[in-house]
Amino acid sequence: MKLDPYLPKSAEIMARFQESPTIFSVQCRFSDAKWQQQFCFQPGQFNILYLYGVGEVAISIASDPTCQDSFLHTIRVVGRVTRALAHLKVGDQVGIRGPFGSFWPLNDAIGHDVLIITGGLGCAPTIAAINYLLLRPNDYGHITILQGIKHSDDFIFKDKYAAWQAMPNTTLFIAANEASHDWLGIRGYVTDKLASLSFPEKNTLVFICGPEIMMQVALDILLQKNFPEKAVYFSLERNMECALGHCGHCQLGGLFVCKDGPIFAYPTIKALFNRPGF
Amino acid sequence: MKKTFLKHEHFQQLLDALKEAGFACIGPQVRDGAIIYDTLTTSTQLPWGLRDFQEPGSYRLEKTAEYKAFSWANGPQALKPYLFKAEETLWRVKRDEAGKFIFEAEYAKAPAIAFIGARACDLAALAIQDKVFIEAKQIDIRYQQRRESLLIIAVNCTYASKNCFCVSAGTGPKVNHAYDLVLTEVDQGFVVQSGSERGAAILAKLTLTPASLLQIQQGALEIQQAANMQSKKIPFNNTRALGLALMNKLDHPRWLDVAERCLSCGNCTLVCPTCFCHSERDKPSLEATSSEHVREWDSCFTKGHSYITGKVIRPDTQSRYRQWLTHKVATWFEQFDVSGCVGCGRCITWCPVGIDLTEELSAMVEDFHET
Ligand SMILES: Cc1cc2nc3c(=O)[nH]c(=O)nc-3n(C[C@H](O)[C@H](O)[C@H](O)COP(=O)(O)OP(=O)(O)OC[C@H]3O[C@@H](n4cnc5c(N)ncnc54)[C@H](O)[C@@H]3O)c2cc1C
Ligand code: SF4
Ligand code: SF4
Ligand code: FES
């Protein structure tokens, strides 16, 4: 019989890391070793995590695709399911379906500069891309990372960012709308910083993730800077239940964000992008 | 395929033959003042001599002078709930002694169904649901199991309600494909035709006579009459052109106007034979030793449909009605290469305030109207 795409596979928590008061990561491995071995994904894709008796949520895969004996999820506690997931301990089990969805065009980006713009804390999909790029510095040109946060106190992954900053060919800007007086990063909107930068390389690809309003502002600036529309990629979020194109919750006009996305080149979503109600 | 004639008094033979072949018969019958589908054991349960009168927001059954079983147009229920269940368990999970999970898929267990009375619009809707659940890359095995064993005994419409617009929608009233048997009701019985080997095998067990030329002609005339009775039209005959026109009208004032009338109750999506939205949830057992994962129909008229943490993408009736209508007749084409409306008129009849999508569409795309 065909595999039932609704049915999760069990996986074990190998390790758990508390990244901030509200963000944690879990390293998981499928109980079925064969399944783990053939599990392959691309940065930007996601799994559906199931917590016993509670429910399922869509979570990006944060680890590197070459790591074959486990995979990592970084989860922010926001509501019913994520709050319960936060209580997971090493040795506990979860259910996993996946991987699902489209991914960042990391192959097309080989040999070129990459600009990554993220807003708010919802930047999980871009972390996978950043990790991937920085592990392969010889394959890519200059990497620019622009991270916007609301308040400087929200800044997490300090160690990770410090390491990124230290990488050759990498520029990192962190902008906080509101900042405490000891904040060393940029004060203001990440999009204002974007407006002030210039990007000499012609074939730079741009990966953007964050609130749709911020993505719209970033897009307008990029188009003014003569970036072609097809060089700009967005990661979108919609309510997701099935991740199979069956439940209808993730629709954006004629697109299913779960299977046609969550990563879209701008021309694909242009007609309804940032249009309230879609 | 040769046409034969089944007398009204021999209809029971059909039910018996289906039962003998291992099918559970599902057919039309009256419940709470409407014609619905449920288990059919005797032909006396059929809605003999009844006819529906439908208007936007209203439905009523009346006795007719004719003693016929199918001289009515569709009621609230379609074929949909027999394939895509209103609620069903997808899987269960248990924990063994060591605390390890055991996931067990729940598959279709009910016996194969013979569905009696599917109309042309129902079969058009079935073809659409097939595209959603079994003709895509990811398939639903439960739907597939029920679909593969389904036997379809279709009925050509010989009457159309005021809310029917299958002619304009391009789906009826004549059944053209996907049936095992198709019946056309005339005086004293049915002109019968089989469309599959399974259908022919059932026919072989019945007392039939060759259909006379007169009976065949009467049947064709009755179907033509069901077409002629229809006055409702969907703009651009339900083609892509309608979708394109509507997507140019996303800011039309009529959206606000209809939102003031719409109750956002979701009845239209529940009666619609093509809507596929559903949500999933967990039902833990009381002893916490197992949990059931259940799916149930959902509607784009609910708040939860478009909820993501901290934001509801469609917080108001206006954006929900617009999602519904644009999905039905416009964006559906992008997903499934066909309109999501089959012209059954159910959403018009069962809307508590009688909103009629054909009127809303006409108002919004009027300047695009064909001359
Ligand atoms: C493609 C994709 C990748 C994601 N990757 C990550 C990630 O790596 N890390 C992370 O922390 N979060 C990620 N999210 C967001 C995450 O799915 C939601 O935060 C989570 O569903 C909230 O569930 P909850 O029950 O805790 O919250 P509640 O607010 O109680 O939400 C209730 C239910 O609504 C639905 N829902 C709510 N918010 C979202 C949302 N943003 N997206 C989809 N469904 C939602 C879910 O079914 C959820 O169970 C991702 C979302 C998508 C669509
Ligand atoms: S939208 Fe209305 S008329 Fe069209 S198929 Fe659905 S219920 Fe029938
Ligand atoms: S989005 Fe609305 S109109 Fe479309 S299938 Fe779902 S419930 Fe029906
Ligand atoms: S999440 Fe169910 S259709 Fe996309």
Side-chain angles (χ1 to χ4, degrees):
Chain A
M1 192 192 272
K2 283 209 180 98
L3 277 178
D4 181 359
Y6 282 91
L7 192 68
K9 294 259 178 205
S10 58
E12 253 122 44
I13 307 295
M14 318 287 301
R16 185 190 184 284
F17 316 94
Q18 193 69 41
E19 313 274 5
S20 85
T22 57
I23 298 177
F24 64 98
S25 298
V26 280
Q27 190 192 351
C28 313
R29 184 161 73 194
F30 285 105
S31 310
D32 177 349
K34 268 209 193 108
W35 191 261
Q36 177 63 50
Q37 254 168 27
Q38 61 83 59
F39 180 76
C40 56
F41 63 90
Q42 298 291 325
Q45 286 194 295
F46 64 97
N47 280 333
I48 297 284
L49 257 73
Y50 167 71
L51 185 66
Y52 186 87
V54 182
E56 294 187 316
V57 283
I59 303 288
S60 307
I61 310 170
S63 44
D64 196 81
T66 54
C67 171
Q68 288 205 318
D69 54 0
S70 67
F71 51 94
L72 188 80
H73 288 300
T74 297
I75 302 168
R76 185 158 72 101
V77 174
V78 295
R80 201 177 68 89
V81 181
T82 48
R83 200 176 303 128
L85 280 167
H87 294 119
L88 285 170
K89 302 180 302 293
V90 172
D92 285 350
Q93 290 207 320
V94 289
I96 301 277
R97 297 190 289 127
F100 295 116
S102 61
F103 37 85
W104 299 111
L106 289 160
N107 272 336
D108 299 347
I110 288 175
H112 302 296
D113 290 359
V114 180
L115 166 62
I116 295 179
I117 307 166
T118 75
L121 290 167
C123 57
T126 47
I127 292 189
I130 295 171
N131 284 333
Y132 186 93
L133 291 166
L134 298 185
L135 272 175
R136 296 161 181 80
N138 298 332
D139 291 349
Y140 298 96
H142 197 87
I143 312 294
T144 308
I145 303 165
L146 279 159
Q147 160 84 59
I149 49 178
K150 223 186 204 145
H151 194 281
S152 57
D153 293 349
D154 298 339
F155 185 47
I156 57 154
F157 296 141
K158 290 194 178 72
D159 302 348
K160 214 173 249 171
Y161 279 85
W164 291 347
Q165 188 119 43
M167 299 288 291
N169 272 329
T170 306
T171 317
L172 178 70
F173 301 102
I174 299 162
N177 294 356
E178 298 159 37
S180 50
H181 58 272
D182 56 349
W183 175 244
L184 298 176
I186 298 158
R187 285 161 195 268
Y189 287 102
V190 69
T191 42
D192 292 341
K193 183 68 205 171
L194 173 67
S196 75
L197 298 175
S198 60
F199 299 90
E201 209 242 354
K202 259 203 144 123
N203 296 314
T204 301
L205 287 185
V206 191
F207 302 171
I208 311 182
C209 177
E212 281 181 36
I213 298 168
M214 168 282 222
M215 296 203 281
Q216 178 73 60
V217 175
L219 173 75
D220 294 344
I221 296 168
L222 291 166
L223 295 181
Q224 261 173 26
K225 289 184 186 291
N226 289 324
F227 276 83
E229 290 183 347
K230 65 176 178 22
V232 184
Y233 289 81
F234 295 102
S235 173
L236 299 189
E237 264 190 24
R238 286 292 178 276
N239 183 298
M240 284 187 191
E241 310 263 327
C242 70
L244 307 172
H246 294 173
C247 79
H249 283 90
C250 68
Q251 292 177 82
L252 168 68
L255 298 164
F256 289 101
V257 174
C258 69
K259 61 175 187 154
D260 302 318
I263 315 286
F264 293 100
Y266 174 59
T268 318
I269 51 171
K270 190 173 176 181
L272 293 175
F273 182 65
N274 195 33
R275 203 176 226 290
F278 284 97
Chain B
M1 191 56 76
K2 200 166 85 268
K3 288 180 178 168
T4 50
F5 189 75
L6 175 71
K7 285 186 181 163
H8 274 146
E9 66 252 40
H10 290 148
F11 194 85
Q12 184 64 38
Q13 291 182 2
L14 175 62
L15 299 184
D16 296 341
L18 290 166
K19 197 174 163 199
E20 204 184 295
F23 291 99
C25 293
I26 301 292
Q29 49 208 273
V30 177
R31 179 149 330 138
D32 299 331
I35 294 170
I36 55 103
Y37 294 93
D38 205 341
T39 306
L40 196 67
T41 43
T42 84
S43 63
T44 53
Q45 286 170 281
L46 291 169
W48 293 102
L50 286 177
R51 168 155 292 177
D52 55 298
F53 291 87
Q54 307 192 30
E55 301 267 354
S58 102
Y59 177 99
R60 108 192 108 77
L61 286 177
E62 277 184 20
K63 286 221 157 62
T64 56
E66 292 180 317
Y67 191 70
K68 282 187 177 169
F70 291 96
S71 56
W72 44 273
N74 263 322
Q77 197 191 11
L79 170 56
K80 180 170 91 169
Y82 285 96
L83 292 165
F84 169 37
K85 299 261 174 200
E87 180 177 330
E88 101 173 287
T89 299
L90 296 170
W91 44 263
R92 284 165 217 280
V93 56
K94 283 188 286 209
R95 277 193 274 212
D96 66 11
E97 289 97 67
K100 304 274 178 249
F101 290 171
I102 304 164
F103 288 99
E104 274 170 12
E106 178 98 347
Y107 294 127
K109 324 184 259 267
I113 282 173
F115 191 89
I116 300 164
R119 309 304 180 99
C121 61
D122 290 325
L123 296 181
L126 174 70
I128 288 176
Q129 291 248 311
D130 285 354
K131 286 191 182 212
V132 176
F133 290 114
I134 54 177
E135 286 167 19
K137 195 172 144 230
Q138 302 277 17
I139 63 161
D140 175 19
I141 296 173
R142 298 150 196 83
Y143 180 99
Q144 185 184 42
Q145 288 172 326
R146 290 188 283 257
R147 178 68 180 93
E148 281 172 356
S149 62
L150 177 74
L151 188 91
I152 297 168
I153 297 168
V155 169
N156 282 314
C157 285
T158 50
Y159 160 82
S161 90
K162 274 194 186 164
N163 290 340
C164 292
F165 56 99
C166 64
V167 174
S168 169
T171 60
K174 191 174 183 318
V175 170
N176 288 318
H177 55 84
Y179 57 86
D180 294 289
L181 290 177
V182 61
L183 317 178
T184 311
E185 192 169 27
V186 294
D187 296 339
Q188 272 113 46
F190 306 92
V191 176
V192 188
Q193 204 176 349
S194 75
S196 72
E197 277 174 28
R198 292 198 304 170
I202 297 291
L203 278 194
K205 300 193 177 144
L206 312 181
T207 309
L208 300 165
T209 51
S212 71
L213 189 62
L214 207 68
Q215 286 164 335
I216 293 172
Q217 278 174 345
Q218 192 200 345
L221 217 68
E222 297 259 2
I223 300 170
Q224 188 54 47
Q225 192 179 312
N228 296 346
M229 287 172 93
Q230 296 182 21
S231 56
K232 226 177 253 314
K233 283 196 170 67
I234 184 165
F236 296 96
N237 287 327
N238 207 21
T239 57
R240 254 172 212 279
L242 169 60
L244 292 175
L246 190 64
M247 292 311 274
N248 272 309
K249 297 289 177 183
L250 297 180
D251 297 316
H252 197 285
R254 185 79 179 199
W255 294 114
L256 192 61
D257 181 272
V258 63
E260 276 167 7
R261 287 171 279 138
C262 173
L263 308 177
S264 205
C265 68
N267 268 15
C268 50
T269 59
L270 295 180
V271 294
C272 181
T274 68
C275 275
F276 53 80
C277 281
H278 62 261
S279 55
E280 294 175 30
R281 72 189 158 83
D282 247 51
K283 272 208 307 210
S285 72
L286 288 176
E287 317 80 58
T289 50
S290 70
S291 194
E292 254 177 82
H293 196 70
V294 179
R295 117 178 128 188
E296 58 199 347
W297 289 358
D298 196 2
S299 163
C300 56
F301 282 94
T302 66
K303 182 174 157 201
H305 189 276
S306 67
Y307 168 85
I308 55 176
T309 306
K311 183 175 167 188
V312 177
I313 289 177
R314 288 179 281 279
D316 49 39
T317 304
Q318 187 182 347
S319 55
R320 291 182 201 165
Y321 190 86
R322 194 176 61 178
Q323 165 65 24
W324 176 72
L325 195 57
T326 55
H327 188 212
K328 282 286 132 185
V329 304
T331 55
W332 209 288
F333 279 101
E334 290 168 46
Q335 296 169 341
F336 305 108
D337 202 25
V338 63
S339 169
C341 176
V342 297
C344 72
R346 287 186 176 94
C347 57
I348 308 174
T349 304
W350 300 96
C351 172
V353 293
I355 294 171
D356 176 344
L357 81 164
T358 63
E359 274 178 21
E360 300 311 317
L361 285 167
S362 302
M364 280 188 263
V365 302
E366 71 195 325
D367 51 333
F368 280 83
H369 243 316
E370 300 118 303
T371 43

